[in-house]
Amino acid sequence: MRYLPLTTDDRSAMLATIGAASIDDLFVDVPQAARLDGPIHGLPGHASELAVERHLTALARQNTVAGEVPFFLGCGAYRHHVPASVDHLIQRGEFLTAYTPYQPEIAQGTLQMLFEFQTQVARLLGTDVANASMYDGSTACWEAITMARRVTKRAKAIVSSGLHPHYVSVANTMAKFTGDVLETAAPTLDADPDTADLIARIDDDTSCVVVQYPDILGRIGDLSELAAACQVKKALLIAVVTEPVALGAIRSPGEMGADIVVGEGQSLGVGLQFGGPYVGLFGCKEKYVRQMPGRLCGQTQDAEGKRGFVLTLSTREQHIRREKATSNICTNSGLCALAFSIHMTLLGEKGLRGLAEANHLAASAAADRLAQLAGVELVTPTFFNEFTLKLSKEARPVVRTLADRGILAGVSLGRLYPDAPDLQNGLVVAVTETATAQDVEALARALEEVLA
Amino acid sequence: MSAINQSGWKPEMGSGGTAAAATFTGNRALMLEEALIFEIGSDTTCGVDLPETPKGTSRLGKLARAKPIGLPGLSEPETVRHYTRLSRQNYGIDLGFFPLGSCTMKHNPRLNEKMARLPGFADIHPLQPVDTVQGALGLIHELQHWLVTLTGMDSVAMSPKAGAHGELCGILAIRAALEARGDARQVILVPESAHGTNPATAAFAGYKVEDVPATPEGRVDVAAMKARLGPDVAGVMITNPNTCGLFERDLREISDMVHAAGGFVYCDGANFNAIVGRVRPGDLGVDAMHINLHKTFSTPHGGGGPGSGPVVFSKALTPFAPLPFVEKTDEGFALVEEENAQDHHASAFGRMVAFHGQMGMFTRALSYIMSHGADGLRQVAEDAVLNANYVLRSLEGTLDAPFAGSGPCMHEALLSDDNLAEGFSTLDVAKGLIDEGFHPMTVYFPLVVHGAMLVEPTETESKAALDQFIGALRSVAERAKAADPSLKSAPHFAPRRRLDETLAARKPVLVWKDAPLAEAAE
């Protein structure tokens, strides 16, 4: 109980000040039937720091750590090298243990950082503005769909088959209740994204078209034509980016005309963490800013004319508009946004472009090597750092077998689409700067043996 | 992009209103002004060693980026200095008392940080084969056991990313359960004293929201609620302890009423730290409740998040909880990701997030929970309540305390600006506290009280810290009662004087542009 500073004497003195005979007097409003008078059955008592450390370390040891084996998983979470100074800086107590900047005069550190983050994100996504982060990419994606409904007053969302199936699932969960109608499909192992098909389906009831870029199979397609087709029908184009490093090498969705661009920022600064916490990116055209969900930091000045920053446009938010709010989101991902922003600052233009190039060429070389293997076909001719292979066998057991050999080979499409028979031989392989040539060779040899 | 532009802050902009003369840099000793990265960085500076470019053929096709992104870079030393300087313009719980009511800022043990950074938790991928992440699933399962046992509920959904996200999860489960029995109820009742997220959540889940008034003593008006219940009411959202800092004595009776009318009870569990180990919400008839792990079990809030909002469910709602689930089987821990995987998940309403929730927060929460144990958690509730009542009783003679006559408060003390001088308000008191070196309390919330000041000391504050805060707040309040004009211009000693929030909202500048403020705002 080392975190509790009150002493027995303090407690007695305080009860005396309050005028209470015992601590139970402070719980008088709890009905007798609901009071727990003794310790709860089935839970242990307090443990020392050493004991807690021992227990959690033992649990941690039971997991296969990505950095200790050849590792090729992506599909919405990517392993990149995070410079040591990122984690050092986010652990400074003034960042780590601060709350939402409700008192801006003593929260300028957080607020300036958020303003810088918003600018970095807007430039990266190619949008006019960006917010101060969302929970993650998947929730940012459905927030974008509901935003499109508010903007267009239409409810039909056309969702590309290339959108991450978990993102589709999240949007479907919400659509069941909000009245959005989602048209979705599983992908096929085709070389090209489904752009033409999407364009053909846009009609006057369409609120938005949602595409992922690069998509779940790693494919990249030009969004310009799709954006133009959306504009004709006054529907919004929503682009989803799960690997922001890609935007160091390829054109941004905003540049190609997307109205809303959302993304998962985990790649930069945050780390894998078994799925969370991550950081959702959310940018849009300026004209939609008042329909945008989440917190926004804005520049202003103080009573002496000095530049300063505050949370702003809060009239869109739940604490003011209650049931008319643009979203119920309250907490954002501030600390992860900080990590993202620091990593981006360390990289800068030169660094992000260099990192992206290294990712792309490493992935390209790996694809060439793996495609030489018997029983392996490269499905995706254009990609960034992630591509899809079609194996001669079902991929899910192959992945399990390779894991037994100490290689985390990629994500089997069977894991993501258990009900799609056509996809069961698909394997999505991500190659970042953290994978060495030896890692790729180890994967190639093991895959060759397992497929033989 | 302009490489270097130092013009963002000018020394002649002001001397800070104190006796200090302007300085050339704008800095004042250890109070350092810091330009934006866009003003000090350049597109050719890079603070990392770039990986070697491997041999390979480009497969980007026509989509290769042509235009610059516009990202300024800083070297590593400059980056460390930039963010360290920014950090010094922030108040955090490590620096001092942070009495934000309903936000719950308590000490953040560094053991939790150390545990969350073990590579076995921090460096694993959410889609790794489940037999390679048995320890992580085991940790989630263990945390589930604690949460279900402490709340006296039947099951828990771990994936919601924050409290408000957990609310949505709970309301969606209620809606799914009603739809499963073919019951198309349309209304959610929300007491006035509820968090603003509650009505927003219900509306987002497709419900019509109706307010239920509070009694003059700050609790739900049971008679009003009873009168409104009927076949169109899907459920109620109730906060306990409520946002007036009071325990909802009648919750059991309310739950029985709602259940009898065919609805469900959602409890906003943001304030669970006040009752953990002393009351199980399950015993009060609650059907769903989120737990803000970052509040009750101390995970750092990082200037606005991340949070984590697992939701506990009663037996009635358990079949409708969202995917995924961690379950213990004969072969180890399983991750149930598909709706038809097992019978009792047949009605699960789908996913709320891409992966399995906030693993990094789970690690920290379990570390905190184990450190306290069942005995310590009970002490947590007792000390949180003791500290809040101590603050309330110590200040009620100085500031108006609207519900002090309604019985003991729970974890937070509610005060108001009713007895200040004409023209002086809660905001002035808050800004005055900043000059005293404290983060202000929550202001203007809950909405049921005019000029509310909500103080939540939490259990990790010492008596000495509380005494100092009480003294400072008394002093500021006395100045506000005496109409001290200097209070109207507080803070005087913060990195910034009062900021113009109206300007920010009227002429939004949300991203940096290569232009001074005035022009950019045009």
Tab-separated table of all heavy atoms in Angstrom, chain B residues 99-103 195 242-245 271 411-416 426 440-446 451-457 469:
chain	number	residue	atom	x	y	z
B	99	PRO	N	-6.486	18.646	-8.538
B	99	PRO	CA	-7.780	18.236	-7.955
B	99	PRO	C	-8.956	18.218	-8.916
B	99	PRO	O	-10.047	18.637	-8.553
B	99	PRO	CB	-7.977	19.292	-6.867
B	99	PRO	CG	-7.355	20.519	-7.435
B	99	PRO	CD	-6.202	20.068	-8.279
B	100	LEU	N	-8.760	17.733	-10.138
B	100	LEU	CA	-9.826	17.742	-11.128
B	100	LEU	C	-10.921	16.739	-10.791
B	100	LEU	O	-10.737	15.539	-10.939
B	100	LEU	CB	-9.265	17.406	-12.507
B	100	LEU	CG	-8.644	18.523	-13.320
B	100	LEU	CD1	-8.050	17.970	-14.604
B	100	LEU	CD2	-9.680	19.587	-13.658
B	101	GLY	N	-12.079	17.247	-10.365
B	101	GLY	CA	-13.189	16.364	-10.076
B	101	GLY	C	-13.685	15.664	-11.321
B	101	GLY	O	-13.669	16.236	-12.412
B	102	SER	N	-14.125	14.418	-11.149
B	102	SER	CA	-14.614	13.581	-12.239
B	102	SER	C	-13.534	13.232	-13.255
B	102	SER	O	-13.817	12.577	-14.241
B	102	SER	CB	-15.796	14.233	-12.972
B	102	SER	OG	-16.979	13.800	-12.354
B	103	CYS	N	-12.331	13.681	-13.040
B	103	CYS	CA	-11.238	13.302	-13.946
B	103	CYS	C	-10.261	12.379	-13.236
B	103	CYS	O	-9.609	11.564	-13.862
B	103	CYS	CB	-10.518	14.534	-14.462
B	103	CYS	SG	-11.594	15.567	-15.479
B	195	HIS	N	-22.632	12.769	-16.716
B	195	HIS	CA	-21.577	13.259	-17.599
B	195	HIS	C	-22.167	13.609	-18.965
B	195	HIS	O	-23.082	12.936	-19.433
B	195	HIS	CB	-20.519	12.176	-17.800
B	195	HIS	CG	-19.623	11.999	-16.624
B	195	HIS	ND1	-18.964	10.836	-16.356
B	195	HIS	CD2	-19.280	12.860	-15.641
B	195	HIS	CE1	-18.246	10.986	-15.256
B	195	HIS	NE2	-18.419	12.187	-14.800
B	242	ASN	N	-22.512	9.922	-7.941
B	242	ASN	CA	-22.907	10.833	-9.016
B	242	ASN	C	-21.967	12.041	-9.103
B	242	ASN	O	-21.011	12.174	-8.332
B	242	ASN	CB	-24.381	11.229	-8.874
B	242	ASN	CG	-24.631	12.182	-7.724
B	242	ASN	OD1	-23.722	12.843	-7.210
B	242	ASN	ND2	-25.879	12.265	-7.305
B	243	THR	N	-22.253	12.898	-10.056
B	243	THR	CA	-21.315	14.002	-10.301
B	243	THR	C	-21.475	15.139	-9.307
B	243	THR	O	-20.729	16.109	-9.360
B	243	THR	CB	-21.478	14.548	-11.726
B	243	THR	OG1	-22.850	14.814	-11.926
B	243	THR	CG2	-20.996	13.556	-12.741
B	244	CYS	N	-22.447	15.043	-8.419
B	244	CYS	CA	-22.486	15.988	-7.296
B	244	CYS	C	-21.639	15.440	-6.154
B	244	CYS	O	-21.596	16.029	-5.065
B	244	CYS	CB	-23.922	16.211	-6.833
B	244	CYS	SG	-24.988	16.905	-8.100
B	245	GLY	N	-20.999	14.306	-6.395
B	245	GLY	CA	-20.151	13.716	-5.366
B	245	GLY	C	-20.922	12.881	-4.360
B	245	GLY	O	-20.387	12.519	-3.324
B	271	ASN	N	-16.507	6.932	-11.503
B	271	ASN	CA	-16.153	7.234	-10.118
B	271	ASN	C	-16.022	5.991	-9.252
B	271	ASN	O	-16.204	6.044	-8.034
B	271	ASN	CB	-17.210	8.174	-9.524
B	271	ASN	CG	-17.351	9.457	-10.335
B	271	ASN	OD1	-16.392	9.894	-10.970
B	271	ASN	ND2	-18.519	10.051	-10.332
B	411	HIS	N	-16.128	10.709	-3.293
B	411	HIS	CA	-14.726	10.975	-3.620
B	411	HIS	C	-14.467	12.408	-4.031
B	411	HIS	O	-13.341	12.784	-4.275
B	411	HIS	CB	-14.347	10.064	-4.776
B	411	HIS	CG	-15.249	10.312	-5.936
B	411	HIS	ND1	-16.607	10.128	-5.839
B	411	HIS	CD2	-14.999	10.801	-7.160
B	411	HIS	CE1	-17.160	10.461	-6.987
B	411	HIS	NE2	-16.219	10.883	-7.804
B	412	GLU	N	-15.527	13.230	-4.205
B	412	GLU	CA	-15.296	14.595	-4.672
B	412	GLU	C	-16.212	15.566	-3.946
B	412	GLU	O	-17.334	15.241	-3.590
B	412	GLU	CB	-15.448	14.713	-6.197
B	412	GLU	CG	-16.739	14.198	-6.778
B	412	GLU	CD	-16.674	13.984	-8.287
B	412	GLU	OE1	-15.639	14.255	-8.918
B	412	GLU	OE2	-17.687	13.529	-8.845
B	413	ALA	N	-15.680	16.769	-3.736
B	413	ALA	CA	-16.379	17.797	-2.980
B	413	ALA	C	-16.866	18.868	-3.938
B	413	ALA	O	-16.085	19.414	-4.720
B	413	ALA	CB	-15.432	18.411	-1.949
B	414	LEU	N	-18.160	19.168	-3.864
B	414	LEU	CA	-18.742	20.138	-4.787
B	414	LEU	C	-18.944	21.483	-4.085
B	414	LEU	O	-19.617	21.573	-3.067
B	414	LEU	CB	-20.078	19.597	-5.312
B	414	LEU	CG	-20.825	20.457	-6.333
B	414	LEU	CD1	-19.950	20.791	-7.536
B	414	LEU	CD2	-22.082	19.735	-6.803
B	415	LEU	N	-18.339	22.518	-4.670
B	415	LEU	CA	-18.456	23.878	-4.149
B	415	LEU	C	-19.004	24.748	-5.277
B	415	LEU	O	-19.064	24.308	-6.429
B	415	LEU	CB	-17.073	24.381	-3.710
B	415	LEU	CG	-16.359	23.492	-2.689
B	415	LEU	CD1	-14.861	23.815	-2.642
B	415	LEU	CD2	-16.971	23.651	-1.302
B	416	SER	N	-19.379	25.994	-4.942
B	416	SER	CA	-19.852	26.881	-6.014
B	416	SER	C	-19.448	28.325	-5.726
B	416	SER	O	-18.962	28.638	-4.641
B	416	SER	CB	-21.370	26.771	-6.177
B	416	SER	OG	-22.003	27.676	-5.304
B	426	THR	N	-16.201	31.626	-10.584
B	426	THR	CA	-15.401	30.413	-10.475
B	426	THR	C	-14.121	30.512	-11.307
B	426	THR	O	-13.057	30.080	-10.882
B	426	THR	CB	-16.265	29.220	-10.940
B	426	THR	OG1	-17.256	28.994	-9.932
B	426	THR	CG2	-15.464	27.966	-11.132
B	440	PRO	N	-6.070	24.075	-11.070
B	440	PRO	CA	-7.424	24.292	-10.550
B	440	PRO	C	-8.252	23.010	-10.547
B	440	PRO	O	-7.945	22.046	-11.251
B	440	PRO	CB	-8.013	25.315	-11.520
B	440	PRO	CG	-6.838	25.978	-12.147
B	440	PRO	CD	-5.785	24.915	-12.245
B	441	MET	N	-9.316	23.067	-9.753
B	441	MET	CA	-10.303	21.994	-9.748
B	441	MET	C	-11.104	22.021	-11.043
B	441	MET	O	-10.933	22.923	-11.862
B	441	MET	CB	-11.240	22.162	-8.536
B	441	MET	CG	-12.149	23.378	-8.574
B	441	MET	SD	-11.298	24.966	-8.641
B	441	MET	CE	-11.289	25.429	-6.943
B	442	THR	N	-12.002	21.059	-11.231
B	442	THR	CA	-12.910	21.096	-12.373
B	442	THR	C	-13.876	22.255	-12.187
B	442	THR	O	-14.417	22.436	-11.097
B	442	THR	CB	-13.679	19.770	-12.469
B	442	THR	OG1	-12.733	18.763	-12.815
B	442	THR	CG2	-14.772	19.822	-13.517
B	443	VAL	N	-14.066	23.041	-13.245
B	443	VAL	CA	-14.934	24.214	-13.123
B	443	VAL	C	-16.152	24.098	-14.036
B	443	VAL	O	-16.089	23.477	-15.087
B	443	VAL	CB	-14.152	25.516	-13.429
B	443	VAL	CG1	-13.095	25.749	-12.367
B	443	VAL	CG2	-13.521	25.488	-14.810
B	444	TYR	N	-17.249	24.676	-13.585
B	444	TYR	CA	-18.507	24.712	-14.338
B	444	TYR	C	-19.025	23.318	-14.684
B	444	TYR	O	-19.656	23.103	-15.710
B	444	TYR	CB	-18.366	25.588	-15.596
B	444	TYR	CG	-17.979	27.005	-15.229
B	444	TYR	CD1	-16.692	27.487	-15.436
B	444	TYR	CD2	-18.904	27.849	-14.618
B	444	TYR	CE1	-16.326	28.773	-15.055
B	444	TYR	CE2	-18.554	29.135	-14.236
B	444	TYR	CZ	-17.271	29.590	-14.456
B	444	TYR	OH	-16.927	30.853	-14.075
B	445	PHE	N	-18.739	22.377	-13.866
B	445	PHE	CA	-19.275	21.019	-14.007
B	445	PHE	C	-19.420	20.445	-12.602
B	445	PHE	O	-18.515	20.618	-11.792
B	445	PHE	CB	-18.337	20.147	-14.849
B	445	PHE	CG	-18.872	18.758	-15.014
B	445	PHE	CD1	-19.780	18.465	-16.020
B	445	PHE	CD2	-18.502	17.744	-14.129
B	445	PHE	CE1	-20.293	17.190	-16.145
B	445	PHE	CE2	-19.025	16.472	-14.262
B	445	PHE	CZ	-19.918	16.188	-15.276
B	446	PRO	N	-20.513	19.789	-12.265
B	446	PRO	CA	-21.672	19.471	-13.104
B	446	PRO	C	-22.546	20.696	-13.391
B	446	PRO	O	-22.527	21.667	-12.659
B	446	PRO	CB	-22.444	18.452	-12.258
B	446	PRO	CG	-22.079	18.756	-10.853
B	446	PRO	CD	-20.657	19.239	-10.910
B	451	GLY	N	-21.820	27.856	-11.476
B	451	GLY	CA	-20.440	28.159	-11.084
B	451	GLY	C	-19.793	27.049	-10.275
B	451	GLY	O	-19.081	27.297	-9.308
B	452	ALA	N	-20.026	25.818	-10.689
B	452	ALA	CA	-19.540	24.669	-9.908
B	452	ALA	C	-18.013	24.630	-9.846
B	452	ALA	O	-17.315	24.992	-10.800
B	452	ALA	CB	-20.062	23.382	-10.525
B	453	MET	N	-17.525	24.185	-8.677
B	453	MET	CA	-16.106	23.868	-8.502
B	453	MET	C	-16.076	22.468	-7.901
B	453	MET	O	-16.562	22.264	-6.789
B	453	MET	CB	-15.435	24.821	-7.514
B	453	MET	CG	-15.569	26.280	-7.852
B	453	MET	SD	-14.751	27.278	-6.570
B	453	MET	CE	-15.627	28.822	-6.808
B	454	LEU	N	-15.541	21.525	-8.640
B	454	LEU	CA	-15.574	20.132	-8.204
B	454	LEU	C	-14.151	19.689	-7.874
B	454	LEU	O	-13.301	19.611	-8.757
B	454	LEU	CB	-16.188	19.282	-9.321
B	454	LEU	CG	-16.592	17.845	-8.998
B	454	LEU	CD1	-17.664	17.810	-7.902
B	454	LEU	CD2	-17.137	17.158	-10.249
B	455	VAL	N	-13.924	19.414	-6.589
B	455	VAL	CA	-12.582	19.080	-6.114
B	455	VAL	C	-12.485	17.589	-5.835
B	455	VAL	O	-13.255	17.064	-5.034
B	455	VAL	CB	-12.251	19.836	-4.804
B	455	VAL	CG1	-10.853	19.482	-4.325
B	455	VAL	CG2	-12.409	21.337	-4.984
B	456	GLU	N	-11.556	16.916	-6.492
B	456	GLU	CA	-11.367	15.491	-6.225
B	456	GLU	C	-9.927	15.250	-5.772
B	456	GLU	O	-9.005	15.260	-6.577
B	456	GLU	CB	-11.665	14.670	-7.481
B	456	GLU	CG	-11.432	13.190	-7.242
B	456	GLU	CD	-12.055	12.286	-8.284
B	456	GLU	OE1	-12.537	12.793	-9.305
B	456	GLU	OE2	-12.058	11.070	-8.063
B	457	PRO	N	-9.749	15.033	-4.477
B	457	PRO	CA	-8.366	14.908	-3.999
B	457	PRO	C	-7.709	13.573	-4.356
B	457	PRO	O	-6.496	13.526	-4.527
B	457	PRO	CB	-8.495	15.035	-2.481
B	457	PRO	CG	-9.923	15.317	-2.180
B	457	PRO	CD	-10.728	14.995	-3.390
B	469	PHE	N	-3.438	23.082	0.083
B	469	PHE	CA	-4.436	23.436	-0.940
B	469	PHE	C	-5.618	24.171	-0.306
B	469	PHE	O	-6.082	25.194	-0.833
B	469	PHE	CB	-4.923	22.165	-1.645
B	469	PHE	CG	-6.078	22.402	-2.583
B	469	PHE	CD1	-5.893	23.031	-3.804
B	469	PHE	CD2	-7.372	21.995	-2.240
B	469	PHE	CE1	-6.962	23.256	-4.666
B	469	PHE	CE2	-8.439	22.219	-3.106
B	469	PHE	CZ	-8.236	22.844	-4.312
